Every structure is written in C-alpha cells, then in structure tokens.
Amino acid sequence: MAAALESVRDSRGWTGLGAVELLAPGRATERFPVLDPGFAAVWTGGVGRVDGRLFRDAALVAAERAGAVRHSGRAELVRDGDGVRGVRVDGQVVLDGDAVVLAAGAWSTELCAPLGLRLGLGPVRGQIVHVELPGRETAGWPTVMTLGEEHGHHYALAFPGGRVVVGATREPGAGFDSRVTVAGQRQVLDAALTLAPGLTDATVLETRVGFRPVSADGYPLLGAVPGLAGLVVATGLGANGLTYGPLTGVLAAGLALGERPPFDLTPFRPGR
Ligand SMILES: Cc1cc2nc3c(=O)[nH]c(=O)nc-3n(C[C@H](O)[C@H](O)[C@H](O)COP(=O)(O)OP(=O)(O)OC[C@H]3O[C@@H](n4cnc5c(N)ncnc54)[C@H](O)[C@@H]3O)c2cc1C
C-alpha cells in the first residue's frame, strides 16, 4: 500500500492530481459506501468523471457552431495520386481539401487498407455494466480503481441518481462482435461484487459494449503518413481515449494545418 501511495504521489506532477491521502481499511466506505470495508485505499483529488455520450454530443454541437458540417453515412478516404484529398460518404465526395484527419477508432485500419497502408491496429472489446442503487444519492461518490495483480484492473464509478458503472472486460480476440456475453457479464459482476459487495441488491440496468482502438505496441498513432500526402492519422487511444481525445484532436488539427507540434510526436508516428 505504501508503494501504491508513493507511485500516485510521483505521478501528481504530470497527471494534475490533487491531494493524496491513505485510507485505512474501513475508511474508504465513508466515501464509497458499498465497498468491501476490508480494503485500504489511496484517495486522490482532481480526478474527473465523463459521460462519454454527453461529451460526444457536446463536441458535435461545438464543432457545428464553429462551422463544421456533419454528414452521416459510411466514409471512405479519397485518393488522389500519391496523396489523400478528401472524404467520400456513401459514394459521394463531401469533403475536398488539402488534409484529412483519420480518427475512425478501431475501424481506421479498414479505411486505410484500400490505400495500401497497414496501420497494425485492432479492436479490444469492452463490456461495461450499469447498475442502479434505488434511493441512493451517488453523485458525490469518487471513482474507485483496483491496484495490483491480486484484484486485476477493475473500476466502479458513480453518476447522479444511484447509477453505478462497473467494468470492464478487455477482450482482444472478440473482433467487432458487439454482443453482450455470459462470460463477460460474469467477469464484470464477479469483480464488481468482490470490490463492492454492497452492490449485491442493485438493479442491473444495461450493459454497453465498445471497441477500444489498440495499436500493436499499445501507443497512440498520431501523425502524417510518409508517402500519403494530406493524411493525418489520429487513433490508437486504447483504453484512454476519453482522457487523451481532446489533446489528440488539438494536435491532429495542428498537424493538418501544417503547424509544428508543441512536442516530439515521433514515438507515435503511424506505420512505425
Ligand atoms: C468499456 C470501455 C470503457 C472505457 N473507459 C474509458 C475510460 O474510463 N477513460 C478513457 O479515457 N477511455 C475509456 N475508454 C476508451 C475510449 O472509449 C476510446 O479510447 C475512445 O472512444 C476512442 O475514441 P476515438 O474517437 O478514437 O474512436 P471511437 O470512439 O471508436 O470513434 C470512432 C468513430 O468512427 C466511426 N466510424 C468508423 N468507421 C467509419 C466509417 N467508415 N464511416 C463513418 N464513420 C465511421 C465509428 O462509428 C465511431 O463512431 C473505454 C472504452 C471502452 C470500450
């Protein structure tokens, strides 16, 4: 536990975390009442909580207010000589420009394939379960994550109105299969109840399935593509895309405009 505390303290500078406090067994339940009281915990301030759907919708509204035009359908990259010049949606060219940012998540590989570019990126399925604790006010509860080999990497986070989200599976072999599976449910719920036995009587609301875009070495793919002028790839954010997405978007937009990035992006170059 002391090592965990030190590692969190060490990361404060670059993560922007606030205060750090060691909570002896029994104390963590003061903040997240359904936890197993036997767990000691490291509490950190300054951690955010994001509703992914709300975040996406807000980003779309902001983009449209800034002049972006939204087209729905199946997109393809338009090749022009030795470069990429635009985007076709459902067979119609809707964008014709000097640069295109490809940010199609785990699907980016198939969009690049017709250009002869192998991205080396694939989906890692995640099943995540939403439950409800009727009558409980959960808005102020912090996010809880397990540390260390013994309990694997699991988490629980609460939203207002008694909603608690627990997850998630990491299934690299599942491809784009979007089914909720029995094994996935069992894995998530077993881990959730080990962490937080007070969820035993919670109502299961829904299970969501998503595909994390994961590169061969696990690092993001961000940058121009040698030999394909005009294409900027921005994907491979894996399990951290909600966190790194805004920064990645800013960096990708700068690259598309021909600006020099504020730090060295070589480690993330696509096709490495
Ligand atoms: C269960 C789970 C839990 C997660 N938890 C966290 C977390 O706690 N914190 C965190 O930071 N991240 C988390 N993530 C990771 C995060 O969701 C991803 O990293 C992030 O969504 C990647 O964003 P993206 O925009 O690159 O790709 P995506 O979100 O996958 O978006 C790509 C979009 O492109 C569209 N698209 C693809 N191909 C085409 C095409 N040909 N035409 C038109 N549209 C197309 C897709 O439909 C999709 O909407 C989690 C992921 C999962 C699955």
Side-chain angles (χ1 to χ4, degrees):
M1 184 48 66
L5 182 62
E6 278 322 305
S7 112
V8 174
R9 281 202 172 120
D10 285 350
S11 63
R12 280 173 65 194
W14 57 271
T15 56
L17 292 175
V20 178
E21 194 186 329
L22 190 56
L23 302 178
R27 292 273 325 279
T29 51
E30 292 166 14
R31 299 174 195 255
F32 202 104
V34 291
L35 284 183
D36 180 334
F39 284 120
V42 177
W43 184 84
T44 68
V47 176
R49 175 180 61 196
V50 170
D51 177 330
R53 294 180 180 182
L54 211 57
F55 181 62
R56 175 202 59 201
D57 292 345
L60 281 169
V61 169
E64 285 174 346
R65 280 195 189 141
V69 178
R70 186 176 172 194
H71 300 273
S72 297
R74 188 182 168 75
E76 295 164 278
L77 298 169
V78 177
R79 182 162 199 156
D80 179 19
D82 58 359
V84 171
R85 289 279 312 180
V87 176
R88 206 180 285 119
V89 172
D90 292 340
Q92 283 219 307
V93 176
V94 298
L95 190 70
D96 182 16
D98 297 331
V100 174
V101 176
L102 174 63
W107 296 267
S108 301
T109 300
E110 70 181 47
L111 273 140
C112 287
L115 308 173
L117 172 64
R118 290 161 66 97
L119 271 190
L121 173 105
V124 173
R125 180 169 72 183
Q127 302 184 47
I128 189 164
V129 182
H130 291 226
V131 303
E132 185 183 36
L133 289 163
R136 299 291 283 271
E137 191 36 76
T138 44
W141 294 11
T143 298
V144 178
M145 295 170 74
T146 52
L147 285 169
E149 296 288 308
E150 193 189 342
H151 296 291
H153 178 71
H154 297 285
Y155 50 82
L157 69 155
F159 286 91
R163 182 176 281 246
V164 178
V165 180
V166 290
T169 62
R170 286 170 188 249
E171 303 170 85
F176 286 105
D177 181 349
S178 60
R179 290 174 307 125
V180 174
T181 65
V182 173
Q185 290 285 276
R186 183 171 73 175
Q187 187 191 329
V188 172
L189 294 178
D190 275 353
L193 290 181
T194 304
L195 180 66
L199 291 176
T200 303
D201 195 38
T203 312
V204 176
L205 296 176
E206 59 174 326
T207 299
R208 296 183 185 177
V209 179
F211 302 102
R212 307 174 186 91
V214 178
S215 68
D217 62 11
Y219 290 106
L221 301 174
L222 177 59
V225 178
L228 277 174
L231 182 63
V232 173
V233 171
T235 184
L237 301 180
N240 299 301
L242 294 174
T243 314
Y244 301 151
L247 173 62
T248 307
V250 169
L251 293 170
L255 291 171
L257 293 170
E259 292 168 5
R260 201 183 150 85
F263 54 88
D264 182 16
L265 294 177
T266 316
F268 308 120
R269 69 189 182 284
R272 62 183 175 263

